[in-house]
Amino acid sequence: MTMDMVKKIMVEKIPFLNHGNLNDRFLSAMIFWHNKEWNMYADIDGKFVNLRAWPAGNFYFGESAERPTDFSSHFLNLTAQRACYLGLELPILGIRDDLFNISACVAKLKLMHDTKEQNKHGVCRMVATEVEYLYSLCRSMYDLLQDFASKLWARYKPKEPPKIPGKNRPKMYPELPKSFADMTLNDKVPRTADELVAKYKIPFEWANFYVQQCKFFTGIRHFRDNVVHNGSYVNHVMESEHGFLIQKDKKPFDGMNLWKEEEEFDNGIVLLMPAIGSVILHTLSALENFSMMLERNIEFPEPIVPGMHFYMRSYYDKELTDLLQDALDRLEKKGSGAGFDEEG
């Protein structure tokens, strides 16, 4: 909701906000975890009340997480606390919605394995379509991130210098593309950081972010586009007592380097879930890297809710956080980029 909407329901009564720093920004949640108590504000029949309620699948501000599996990140906190400008709501909210859907995907894959005896002859097809959807979510998050970046750049880019009669055209600052592919690729060829700086006048660190993300992004983009437009699909999902299995040399899993010895079987067969965790971790790491880069290059206003962080609570947060922790552990042990070798 926008600040104008919130003010209509007496926002000044919420004690946790930085009331002098709300102009031109939107409030991401009206639920607060403070002193180990929930404060949930709402407009009920024209009256502004503090309900005795707590979130089930929602976001909240808190001095700490109310339970260990509530999810937070630098990107979520920056876009809820400091970079929450009016006009940027759609890509920010879209990314948050994709996060909920990713957590549901992870939970469904676990549920399919736990109940596979009830659907012995069709469960692998169900798993394959879920993996395809998950790749589409990760692809979506990159485009939503670029939409957010484009709108933020339009706000923060340097002002155009005035035209001086008789002089050459002054240095201009172009708008950024709304598509991640349009930003990173030139006729399918990856742009270099120097090319991006020259074309869009963005800081070098900003441009280098796209260079670092290009290989992974083009991989998930290629697979997702082939599924949607060319009828491709996830090959050879198999089920076992250990979990669902895949062939590690088949797309979209080829190039990954993350399995433990006991997770690899004959003929290049490996467990599916480590691959899923690696893809999700890499996508969320892109959000983290981008938001931390922004904070180093842009002087944002002070937080809307001082002394608190922004948390996500979903029905499936434990499944998501467990998978991400496993992916992080593998990354630390393997020492390669989010589970991908140099060729992946």
Side-chain angles (χ1 to χ4, degrees):
M1 62 185 70
T2 67
M3 281 296 101
D4 287 341
M5 294 169 59
V6 175
K7 285 178 181 177
K8 291 179 182 179
I9 54 174
M10 303 168 65
V11 69
E12 65 273 8
K13 291 188 176 181
I14 300 179
F16 311 109
L17 304 182
N18 182 348
H19 294 282
N21 204 20
L22 300 179
N23 290 336
D24 196 29
R25 296 199 282 173
F26 66 93
L27 185 59
S28 293
M30 295 180 67
I31 310 171
F32 305 87
W33 175 244
H34 171 67
N35 285 342
K36 297 186 178 180
E37 290 185 351
W38 288 109
N39 295 267
M40 184 172 179
Y41 297 92
D43 182 6
I44 307 294
D45 295 330
K47 295 181 180 180
F48 191 60
V49 297
N50 187 351
L51 301 174
R52 294 183 58 84
W54 50 90
N58 212 323
F59 291 90
Y60 68 90
F61 292 99
E63 294 159 332
S64 62
E66 192 270 339
R67 65 187 187 194
T69 55
D70 289 346
F71 181 75
S72 188
S73 72
H74 187 277
F75 179 86
L76 286 178
N77 203 56
L78 181 74
T79 53
Q81 289 271 37
R82 304 182 68 193
C84 46
Y85 298 108
L86 297 178
L88 275 65
E89 301 99 318
L90 289 181
I92 291 173
L93 296 177
I95 288 173
R96 292 175 190 170
D97 194 54
D98 281 349
L99 271 173
F100 278 123
N101 290 339
I102 284 174
S103 68
C105 279
V106 173
K108 279 190 280 184
L109 290 170
K110 182 178 184 300
L111 179 64
M112 288 175 196
H113 179 263
D114 292 345
T115 60
K116 63 182 185 296
E117 293 301 319
Q118 301 174 22
N119 191 21
K120 291 183 178 180
H121 304 294
V123 68
C124 290
R125 173 63 68 176
M126 295 171 69
V127 171
T129 55
E130 201 63 31
V131 172
E132 291 168 4
Y133 175 58
L134 191 143
Y135 266 75
S136 293
L137 288 172
C138 292
R139 167 74 169 86
S140 165
M141 292 182 82
Y142 271 94
D143 271 347
L144 289 167
L145 178 64
Q146 183 56 28
D147 188 17
F148 166 74
S150 175
K151 291 173 178 175
L152 190 67
W153 175 247
R155 182 183 188 94
Y156 274 103
K157 68 180 181 177
K159 293 182 179 179
E160 307 291 357
K163 180 70 172 74
I164 301 176
K167 300 290 184 179
N168 293 331
R169 184 178 179 85
K171 181 180 180 182
M172 305 297 287
Y173 292 88
E175 301 294 329
L176 300 187
K178 298 286 176 71
S179 158
F180 203 90
D182 290 343
M183 187 72 192
T184 56
L185 302 172
N186 181 17
D187 194 24
K188 298 183 180 181
V189 177
R191 289 191 171 104
T192 67
D194 289 338
E195 288 172 343
L196 288 167
V197 171
K199 184 175 180 62
Y200 296 111
K201 311 298 188 296
I202 55 178
F204 182 85
E205 190 180 8
W206 192 323
N208 198 45
F209 164 80
Y210 295 109
V211 176
Q212 293 171 342
Q213 292 296 323
C214 187
K215 178 178 283 189
F216 177 77
F217 167 73
T218 52
I220 62 171
R221 174 178 179 256
H222 180 72
F223 177 73
R224 179 265 178 193
D225 289 351
N226 274 342
V227 168
V228 173
H229 302 297
N230 301 325
S232 297
Y233 59 94
V234 176
N235 284 298
H236 308 300
V237 175
M238 297 154 276
E239 60 92 7
S240 75
E241 61 180 332
H242 307 289
F244 294 112
L245 306 173
I246 53 171
Q247 288 185 281
K248 66 182 298 185
D249 61 344
K250 300 292 185 181
K251 292 186 180 300
F253 311 108
D254 55 321
M256 293 186 179
N257 176 32
L258 47 83
W259 286 278
K260 302 171 186 175
E261 182 178 352
E262 63 270 22
E263 295 170 342
E264 297 198 38
F265 306 96
D266 293 340
N267 302 315
I269 302 299
V270 293
L271 288 178
L272 168 66
M273 291 310 294
I276 295 302
S278 180
V279 171
I280 296 171
L281 176 64
H282 202 118
T283 303
L284 299 189
S285 294
L287 301 181
E288 294 296 273
N289 293 338
F290 189 74
S291 64
M292 288 187 284
M293 178 279 297
L294 287 179
E295 204 163 49
R296 290 191 294 268
N297 286 273
I298 293 176
E299 188 174 345
F300 291 104
E302 292 301 310
I304 282 182
V305 189
M308 292 191 181
H309 289 275
F310 191 62
Y311 294 95
M312 166 186 165
R313 168 168 295 184
S314 79
Y315 291 101
Y316 314 110
D317 46 15
K318 186 178 188 307
E319 289 85 350
L320 177 62
T321 53
D322 284 351
L323 188 65
L324 288 175
Q325 185 59 58
D326 178 73
L328 281 168
D329 292 342
R330 291 169 190 270
L331 175 61
E332 291 177 358
K333 291 178 181 178
K334 289 287 185 178
S336 60
F340 296 81
D341 63 27
E342 293 181 356
E343 300 299 321

